Amino acid sequence: MTAPNTVPPNPPAIGQPCPACGQPVESRLVCLACGALLALNPTSPGGLDFFGWFGLPPAMALDTALLSDRWRRLGFRLHPDLHRGDSALGPALALRLSSAVNAAYKMLLDPAARGAYLLAELSRRAGFTPDPKALPEGFLRDMFNLQEQLEESGPAEQQHTRGGLNRQLQALRTERDRLLTEALETALPEAPALTRIQQLLNQEKYLVKLSAE
Amino acid sequence: MAYSDKVIDHYNNPRNVGALDKSSADVGTAVVGAPECGDVMKLQIKVEEGKIVDAKFKTFGCGSAIASSSLATEWVKGKSLDEALQIKNMDIVEELALPPVKIHCSVLAEDAIKSAIADYKSKQGAQPQEKTG
């Protein structure tokens, strides 16, 4: 039996009853119905289950309306004034969690950051971390040549090059999403797939920089 | 954070901008990049009798990346390959007074020196077979 306001050993899965109030859980961080703290180590790096905080499955496809709704309700439940005299979740921790929730919300909304977070999760699962600077052979040389070309060409030609860049960026993102989705469905993701995802995330950064200039 | 005077000087008057003949057997070429900021840097060295006699660079990136590579070309000139390999990114950080957020620019310059030397050495090793670049 768990008394109200003590933290359960493992946060209940989404839809399971809250140990404090019995309502189905919508967030694995804090019960949105009663405000009880559910996560055991909500601020330890290993306990940072950002999708679980918002009651969402870890995936590239994201229900942003649901994410925003849970974010607003978490913000309300984590207001420090509601936690004076709370033994498990005092005002100071509530404040810290509230800013962590805001950062996680912002991160999840950005597809590139969401992809990087999912890749870190997959790397943990696979016991393999790809080289953080991984890029396909010759990619930097191509980027350098493209930069020189942009520098030397006139406006019409530049626009043409940028059109090509945007199509390349679109193709990279599609492949990134597909590979992440496949890897998340795999019990033991394979090293080459994770390296390719890291490459795509890095390539995206170079292309975004280039097309923004 | 404001750029130091030395960064601004290298940015306004970059030393050794340009290119060397990539296909030449005594030229080592490096193209390196930093995914954090999307900067791309090309650094080339020309080696004669074990000494770096010329160096050129071109960098697409922020002021610190340009200054780091400009300084790197100045420093490697006249050095032996072994001496050039001793240049550490923290030497560049110190010389240019780079702030912590710009340390990766100096890492890029150190990577570029190492990679250019490695390219030169691999060309030397492969030289008998390699007639065209």
Side-chain angles (χ1 to χ4, degrees):
Chain A
M1 283 289 128
T2 310
N5 284 340
T6 62
V7 181
N10 273 311
I14 301 305
Q16 292 298 301
C18 165
C21 74
Q23 289 294 309
V25 157
E26 290 175 278
S27 158
R28 301 192 82 196
L29 180 62
V30 165
C31 175
L32 293 179
C34 73
L37 181 64
L38 300 172
L40 181 61
N41 283 314
T43 53
S44 80
L48 298 180
D49 171 20
F50 292 142
F51 283 93
W53 284 7
F54 299 95
L56 296 166
M60 271 315 277
L62 188 70
D63 184 341
T64 48
L66 192 56
L67 175 74
S68 296
D69 175 63
R70 299 244 163 95
W71 169 65
R72 270 189 291 274
R73 289 162 67 207
L74 275 168
F76 169 70
R77 281 294 171 198
L78 286 169
H79 196 289
D81 286 352
L82 294 176
H83 296 280
R84 310 215 176 272
D86 184 333
S87 57
L89 178 56
L93 179 57
L95 190 64
R96 274 197 357 252
L97 288 182
S98 175
S99 70
V101 162
N102 288 341
Y105 173 65
K106 203 174 147 201
M107 184 276 288
L108 290 178
L109 278 177
D110 171 9
R114 188 160 79 240
Y117 172 73
L118 286 170
L119 177 60
E121 288 294 309
L122 286 165
S123 301
R124 228 189 321 274
R125 197 198 289 176
F128 167 82
T129 304
D131 171 11
K133 291 185 87 169
L135 284 171
E137 180 67 33
F139 176 79
L140 283 174
R141 210 170 44 231
D142 293 346
M143 283 296 100
F144 186 88
N145 293 338
L146 207 56
Q147 293 257 30
E148 274 199 323
Q149 197 185 318
L150 276 171
E151 197 181 52
E152 289 157 10
S153 57
E157 210 180 323
Q158 280 191 2
Q159 204 172 358
H160 179 76
T161 308
R162 281 182 207 288
L165 271 177
N166 286 333
R167 280 191 296 280
Q168 203 183 335
L169 198 48
Q170 205 51 52
L172 282 176
R173 286 171 171 160
T174 306
E175 190 185 352
R176 172 200 70 193
D177 291 0
R178 182 174 61 78
L179 290 180
L180 275 166
T181 304
E182 278 174 16
L184 285 162
E185 287 164 356
T186 314
L188 195 64
E190 287 179 7
L194 298 185
T195 297
R196 181 68 192 130
I197 294 166
Q198 182 69 68
Q199 286 182 352
L200 288 163
L201 289 167
N202 289 338
Q203 286 174 273
E204 187 181 356
K205 285 185 191 157
Y206 285 99
L207 287 174
V208 166
K209 167 91 188 296
L210 200 50
S211 62
E213 270 167 7
Chain B
M1 172 104 38
Y3 285 128
S4 70
D5 290 345
K6 279 180 179 160
V7 171
I8 292 167
D9 179 38
H10 276 279
Y11 182 76
N12 288 331
N13 312 293
R15 311 342 176 226
N16 310 310
V17 174
L20 299 169
D21 179 12
K22 195 174 179 298
S23 58
S24 165
D26 50 12
V27 170
T29 300
V31 181
V32 295
E36 301 93 323
C37 52
D39 290 356
V40 189
M41 178 183 291
K42 180 158 114 177
L43 192 145
Q44 294 181 299
I45 53 167
K46 187 178 162 76
V47 185
E48 274 170 18
E49 288 162 13
K51 264 199 172 2
I52 298 173
V53 293
D54 200 4
K56 296 279 182 202
F57 86 97
K58 188 161 182 183
T59 294
F60 295 100
C62 66
S64 301
I66 290 168
S68 295
S69 37
S70 172
L71 180 66
T73 56
E74 270 198 323
W75 277 359
V76 296
K77 272 205 221 177
K79 283 197 165 66
S80 72
L81 297 181
D82 285 342
E83 284 165 350
L85 286 171
Q86 297 307 310
I87 297 171
K88 293 283 172 286
N89 82 290
M90 288 315 288
D91 304 334
I92 296 169
V93 169
E94 217 169 286
E95 174 68 16
L96 296 174
L98 295 179
V101 292
K102 293 295 182 185
I103 286 176
H104 67 265
C105 299
S106 67
V107 174
L108 207 55
E110 185 190 324
D111 284 353
I113 296 171
K114 293 204 157 69
S115 167
I117 291 173
D119 182 56
Y120 167 76
K121 283 183 175 169
S122 78
K123 269 185 177 174
Q124 293 302 301
Q127 205 182 4
Q129 296 95 315
E130 196 179 77
K131 287 201 170 112
T132 56

